[in-house]
Amino acid sequence: MALDERARHELFLGLEQVLGPERAETLMELMPPVGWADVATKRDLDALEERMNLRFELVDQRFEGVDRRFEALDQRFVALDQRFVALDERFVALDGRFGALDQRFEASEHKLLAGFRAELLAQTNVITAQMNGMTAQMNGMTGQMRVLILAIIGAMVSVAALVVSADRLS
């Protein structure tokens, strides 16, 4: 016989006549609201617990897999960090080498400038000496030129005197 609300109500009415309204209500509250087939037994709960445990074990296994993946990723990040540290060290060494190269270029630049200045000063001194020599020669030539001009003038005066004397003699 299927239990429905009408049958439950009739049972309550019968209990109320026999036991009284309070006791009938207490007894009805102790009865399940549906049929006994819908009530879970200890065995049902144990089976449910076992299924839940299996599911939780599967979830735990999945989480362990995820944890292993994260550990592998962490190891890859550690390796990557080590590579970056090595690269940083190489860049520091390269910066040092460039610094040394800059110092060598600066030293070479100073040497070249000093050599250029020295050569320029030497050439300037040579040119100045040559110009001084030329000035001295020109001063000597000026004196000689005066003597030569005076000699030419004297020779011309002598020739003119000879021409005038010869003209008078004739």
Side-chain angles (χ1 to χ4, degrees), residues 124-140:
T124 303
N125 289 338
V126 167
I127 291 171
T128 303
Q130 287 177 352
M131 287 181 74
N132 287 338
M134 290 169 123
T135 303
Q137 285 177 355
M138 288 183 73
N139 287 337

Side-chain angles (χ1 to χ4, degrees), residues 2 8 14 21 37 39 48 53-54 56 59-61 67 76 78 96 104 107 111 121 123 129 145 156 169-170:
R8 284 179 63 88
V39 176
L48 177 63
N53 285 337
L54 288 174
F56 280 128
V59 169
D60 286 344
Q61 288 174 358
D67 286 344
R76 288 176 69 186
V78 166
R104 286 176 59 192
K111 285 180 184 177
L121 183 61
Q123 290 297 323
M145 193 67 120
M156 286 176 68
L169 285 173
S170 42

Side-chain angles (χ1 to χ4, degrees), residues 14-122:
L15 287 172
E16 198 175 31
Q17 288 175 356
V18 174
L19 299 175
E22 285 181 18
R23 289 185 180 153
E25 190 173 325
T26 302
L27 186 59
M28 288 303 288
E29 283 181 10
L30 292 175
M31 306 253 325
V34 291
W36 283 104
D38 294 331
V39 176
T41 64
K42 277 189 141 202
R43 237 179 301 134
D44 293 333
L45 292 176
D46 289 340
L48 177 63
E49 181 182 15
E50 189 176 325
R51 285 194 316 262
M52 293 298 289
N53 285 337
L54 288 174
R55 284 188 179 173
F56 280 128
E57 284 178 19
L58 288 174
V59 169
D60 286 344
Q61 288 174 358
R62 285 185 176 173
F63 275 127
E64 287 173 5
V66 169
D67 286 344
R68 283 191 298 274
R69 284 182 179 171
F70 276 125
E71 287 173 7
L73 278 175
D74 285 344
Q75 290 173 357
R76 288 176 69 186
F77 278 125
V78 166
L80 195 59
D81 284 344
Q82 290 171 349
R83 288 175 67 187
F84 277 126
V85 166
L87 276 175
D88 285 343
E89 290 171 357
R90 287 175 68 188
F91 277 125
V92 167
L94 197 57
D95 283 344
R97 289 173 67 188
F98 277 125
L101 193 59
D102 283 344
Q103 289 175 353
R104 286 176 59 192
F105 278 135
E106 285 180 19
S108 295
E109 179 183 4
H110 291 300
K111 285 180 184 177
L112 283 173
L113 284 174
F116 180 72
R117 284 184 183 138
E119 187 63 30
L120 187 61
L121 183 61

